[in-house]
Amino acid sequence: MITRIVFSFLVSGSTSILNNVQKKYFFLCGISGVISGLSYDYLVLHNNATISSLIACIILSICSQFFEQLTKTPSLVFTVSGIMPIVPGSLLFKAFNSLATNDYSQAANFGTQAILVGFSIAIGFFINEVFSSVLLNLKKMVKKI
């Protein structure tokens, strides 16, 4: 568990460095990765990987929205870094490894799982954008009143 926390932090922080994010946001980018990684790990114990990825992505989106309000920086900075621990890289590796060993049924299984996880991540981000847009419109309406 400690290694998962450390590596989620390092992967997310390193992604922020690769994307030329300002150094002062390194810690928050790492924290967003830890939050998404730990939420995914907890959820995958009770659900399948697709649902766990969707919920972890929604949690990451909420966290990114909070960091956006805290730092006045676009939430995409924290979302791109925080998504790395839940990207289905191992599933894709297993799919291509199964293709290389001519185990086509297993390759199809892993490939389908990877595609479903990828779609659930995309749906999670879509839900976040709709939610943030609705909140922004509500905030504008309240200011008019």
Side-chain angles (χ1 to χ4, degrees), residues 12-33:
S12 298
S14 300
T15 304
S16 71
I17 291 171
L18 289 174
N19 291 327
N20 292 325
V21 175
Q22 294 177 4
K23 291 178 185 176
K24 61 184 176 181
Y25 301 128
F26 175 81
F27 183 74
L28 290 177
C29 289
I31 291 297
S32 66

Side-chain angles (χ1 to χ4, degrees), residues 9-128:
F9 183 86
L10 290 176
V11 164
S12 298
S14 300
T15 304
S16 71
I17 291 171
L18 289 174
N19 291 327
N20 292 325
V21 175
Q22 294 177 4
K23 291 178 185 176
K24 61 184 176 181
Y25 301 128
F26 175 81
F27 183 74
L28 290 177
C29 289
I31 291 297
S32 66
V34 169
I35 289 170
S36 68
L38 288 180
S39 61
Y40 175 79
D41 285 345
Y42 175 74
L43 291 166
V44 83
L45 296 175
H46 305 290
N47 299 309
N48 62 10
T50 306
I51 300 297
S52 300
S53 296
L54 175 66
I55 297 171
C57 188
I58 291 171
I59 291 170
L60 171 64
S61 299
I62 293 169
C63 172
S64 297
Q65 292 291 328
F66 174 73
F67 289 157
E68 175 187 23
Q69 296 298 319
L70 185 69
T71 62
K72 306 296 185 215
T73 304
S75 66
L76 191 62
V77 168
F78 308 109
T79 303
V80 169
S81 298
I83 197 68
M84 290 304 152
I86 58 176
V87 169
S90 65
L91 288 174
L92 288 172
F93 173 78
K94 290 175 185 176
F96 283 107
N97 189 30
S98 297
L99 278 175
T101 59
N102 295 329
D103 189 4
Y104 298 116
S105 63
Q106 194 68 17
N109 183 26
F110 286 132
T112 304
Q113 287 178 2
I115 289 170
L116 288 174
V117 169
F119 277 136
S120 69
I121 290 171
I123 290 169
F125 283 136
F126 178 74
I127 290 170
N128 172 51

Side-chain angles (χ1 to χ4, degrees), residues 134-145:
V134 167
L135 283 179
L136 186 64
N137 288 336
L138 284 175
K139 195 182 282 186
K140 288 180 183 178
M141 288 175 52
V142 168
K143 284 184 179 180
K144 287 182 181 179
I145 297 176

